[in-house]
Amino acid sequence: MIPAVYKLRHVEIRPAAILAPMAGVTDTLFRRVIRGLGGCGLLMTEFTSSEGITRSAKKTLRYLYFQEDEHPIAAQLFGANPAVMAEAAKMVEDLGFDAVDINLGCPAKKVVKCGGSGLLRDMPLLGEIFRAVRSAVKIPLTIKLRAGWDENSIVAVDVAKLAESVGVEAVAVHPRTRVQGYSGNADWGIIAAVKRAVRIPVIGNGDINSPEDAARMVRETNCDAVMIGRAAATNPWIFSQMQQYQQKGAYDTPSEQDRHRLLSGYYREITAANQPDAVGKMKQFACWFSHGVGNGGELRRTVHAARTPSEVLEAIERFFEHSAGRTAAEEAAYPREASRKDPAHGPSQHTRVEATLGA
């Protein structure tokens, strides 16, 4: 099962479940949604440009804003200049983050040119970056990497060994190559190989879409913690479900009311924050969040037609108001069936999802 705790030197991460850094997603508002639902041991910022931090670019520094109730929290940096990465890491430490992480996984073209998974092709430069950052900060240093650039250059084990040798304290492995992007299947065997090769903690990431997936990853790879990315955007309850599964072998699924409260509350926070990209962020999240929701296509259409944050909120309220009406009508017509169904994920929150622990 998922480990109850993962120790990163003096930082105790309980449970051993981590929210992956995701550009345009894991800002302070989304992180606090996840923290509020429970079950997530460590939060991470969006990946942030070391160049932007050291130049004190206002937009970049916004990515590093966090609140006290987000601890423990790690900041993830990307870049290819050892001195700049070291300076940025020191600034992160001074801001009060619990750990700093180096991004070696982003496959985006604009990032690969100056860091991310592009660094997996230059081991000497990687070594310089690791040593520079390690000497610059006292807080724990971790890395998140992909398997390699392509199938002919799987370097995850070599990078993990190099990182360990210079004082990096944990490694998260997403076992796809840069060329793969997010296509195909994650090769969990690579996570297992890294775990066998190093003594520092290894975090498994990739293709975890349910508590059962997380438990299976731990069982198959012996990893010390699991990291959840895209699944958290479509199902923010996944961490609390993992914790329930860990404790009871079963977990609850959110009702329509749960979804309404979360989406409405999150959008009101976005609106109150007066973010410049508020509408775009709201539409993006609605697209992810509504897949699997009853009549989710209708919700996506109405939200994408909106032009202001207030119009998005109105669209959300109308959708769930109509949804409540539909549900009431269904219960009146088919009381036994409707009472057992949740349009989002099947059984309602009143039904436990039973799972075989060894499955």
Side-chain angles (χ1 to χ4, degrees):
M1 294 295 287
I2 303 160
V5 63
Y6 146 57
K7 288 190 176 181
L8 186 57
R9 205 196 310 162
H10 62 280
V11 181
E12 190 171 273
I13 298 162
R14 186 185 296 274
I18 302 166
L19 176 66
M22 292 180 281
V25 180
T26 53
D27 62 4
T28 184
L29 298 181
F30 183 78
R31 294 193 305 262
R32 295 184 78 217
V33 166
I34 296 296
R35 180 69 86 211
L37 291 172
C40 181
L42 177 68
L43 301 174
M44 297 188 75
T45 67
E46 302 175 61
F47 74 98
T48 307
S49 166
S50 58
E51 296 282 352
I53 294 173
T54 55
R55 294 171 185 169
S56 296
K58 186 176 181 180
K59 181 178 179 181
T60 302
L61 292 176
R62 179 163 57 91
Y63 298 146
L64 296 179
Y65 175 80
F66 70 95
Q67 297 191 35
E68 283 302 308
D69 60 0
E70 295 182 57
H71 287 292
I73 182 171
Q76 190 186 68
L77 306 178
F78 75 89
N81 184 310
V84 173
M85 286 286 284
E87 183 182 352
K90 186 64 175 70
M91 292 175 70
V92 160
E93 181 176 56
D94 292 342
L95 286 171
F97 282 92
D98 298 291
V100 61
D101 185 82
I102 298 175
N103 181 304
L104 304 176
C106 182
K109 289 183 179 179
K110 64 179 181 180
V111 175
V112 165
K113 294 177 181 178
C114 56
S117 57
L119 290 172
L120 298 176
R121 297 176 294 180
D122 194 336
M123 294 289 281
L125 177 57
L126 266 184
E128 290 181 39
I129 292 173
F130 292 162
R131 284 186 285 270
V133 176
R134 178 67 286 170
S135 64
V137 298
K138 296 178 181 178
I139 57 175
L141 171 62
T142 64
I143 62 173
K144 182 175 185 291
L145 53 77
R146 280 188 171 243
W149 182 258
D150 57 30
E151 63 180 9
N152 296 315
S153 57
I154 304 298
V155 296
V157 168
D158 293 334
V159 173
K161 286 181 175 180
L162 171 62
E164 181 180 41
S165 72
V166 297
V168 172
E169 292 161 87
V171 53
V173 183
H174 181 117
R176 284 185 173 89
T177 65
R178 188 272 170 179
V179 171
Q180 275 184 283
Y182 294 99
S183 65
N185 297 318
D187 182 358
W188 291 358
I190 294 172
I191 301 173
V194 173
K195 176 61 182 172
R196 290 192 298 269
V198 298
R199 295 182 179 179
I200 57 176
V202 174
I203 298 100
N205 174 232
D207 289 358
I208 298 178
N209 297 305
S210 69
E212 293 91 337
D213 289 337
R216 183 167 60 87
M217 175 182 279
V218 173
R219 187 169 63 250
E220 293 182 5
T221 70
N222 200 32
C223 62
D224 300 280
V226 295
M227 178 179 283
I228 312 293
R230 290 173 293 166
T234 57
N235 176 23
W237 291 270
I238 189 169
F239 291 101
S240 59
Q241 290 173 336
M242 286 162 51
Q243 191 169 40
Q244 286 183 314
Y245 185 55
Q246 163 80 9
Q247 296 169 348
K248 304 175 182 178
Y251 54 90
D252 297 330
T253 57
S255 67
E256 286 286 273
Q257 291 78 16
D258 294 329
R259 291 181 172 277
H260 181 195
R261 283 192 295 269
L262 185 143
L263 196 56
S264 179
Y266 179 44
Y267 280 12
R268 291 182 190 282
E269 291 286 346
I270 292 175
T271 301
N274 197 29
Q275 296 182 343
D277 57 345
V279 174
K281 188 178 288 290
M282 293 164 90
K283 291 181 177 181
Q284 177 192 51
F285 189 72
C287 181
W288 289 330
F289 186 81
S290 59
H291 283 286
V293 173
N295 293 300
E298 175 190 336
L299 176 59
R300 290 190 291 276
R301 285 191 296 272
T302 56
V303 167
H304 279 275
R307 296 185 178 182
T308 66
S310 61
E311 288 180 1
V312 175
L313 273 170
E314 290 172 8
I316 293 296
E317 297 304 323
R318 283 198 307 272
F319 173 82
F320 281 102
E321 181 180 341
H322 293 160
S323 176
R326 287 193 301 269
T327 301
E330 289 172 358
E331 288 179 349
Y334 308 101
R336 294 183 180 179
E337 285 298 315
S339 66
R340 293 200 304 269
K341 294 293 182 79
D342 167 38
H345 288 295
S348 75
Q349 65 174 356
H350 303 297
T351 303
R352 310 287 297 185
V353 177
E354 299 295 340
T356 303
L357 300 186

